[in-house]
Amino acid sequence: MRLLGIAAAIEAATGLALLASPDLVARLLLGAEAGGTGAALGRFAGAALACLALASWPKTLPGGDAGFGPLALWLFQPVAVACLLFAVFGAGLQGVLLWPAIAYHAAATMLLGRVALGGRPGIGT
């Protein structure tokens, strides 16, 4: 359990660093700038790593045995929306699937919220 906690903490730190400054992480890790597209993908990957760390944290939620997995999956959704919106408005990126991805993650935020917070399941659960 201790090793799992250490690994989760390292992944959380890496994910948060990618969210905060993907260019710095790319420079330190790869020796190169991330650039506009790389920074957008780096932030998205950072969100995923931070939520993976939360899902792997060696503790269960009070009153349940699902651990932090549902909460981590739910938390990833609005962070993904923010990352994708930053790609549009902050970096000026645009792709055919960008707006559908934003819509999906926004809908998933609402639908998964009830499950993650211990309420009644959403559609299809």
Side-chain angles (χ1 to χ4, degrees):
M1 274 305 210
R2 184 171 181 203
L3 180 60
L4 182 61
I6 292 169
I10 291 169
E11 296 305 331
T14 304
L16 293 174
L18 277 165
L19 272 168
S21 183
D23 281 324
L24 176 63
V25 174
R27 196 167 41 253
L28 292 173
L29 189 63
L30 305 171
E33 296 293 321
T37 303
L41 289 173
R43 283 189 178 90
F44 199 83
L49 274 177
C51 289
L52 172 66
L54 179 61
S56 302
W57 200 258
K59 183 178 178 174
T60 59
L61 291 171
D65 59 349
F68 289 116
L71 179 62
L73 183 60
W74 174 65
L75 286 174
F76 174 70
Q77 305 306 321
V79 175
V81 170
C83 290
L84 294 173
L85 287 174
F86 183 82
V88 172
F89 297 111
L93 300 174
Q94 192 64 259
V96 69
L97 293 179
L98 188 53
W99 284 105
I102 291 168
Y104 162 74
H105 288 291
T109 297
M110 294 180 281
L111 294 173
L112 292 173
R114 290 181 145 175
V115 174
L117 300 175
R120 198 171 42 124
I123 296 173
T125 56

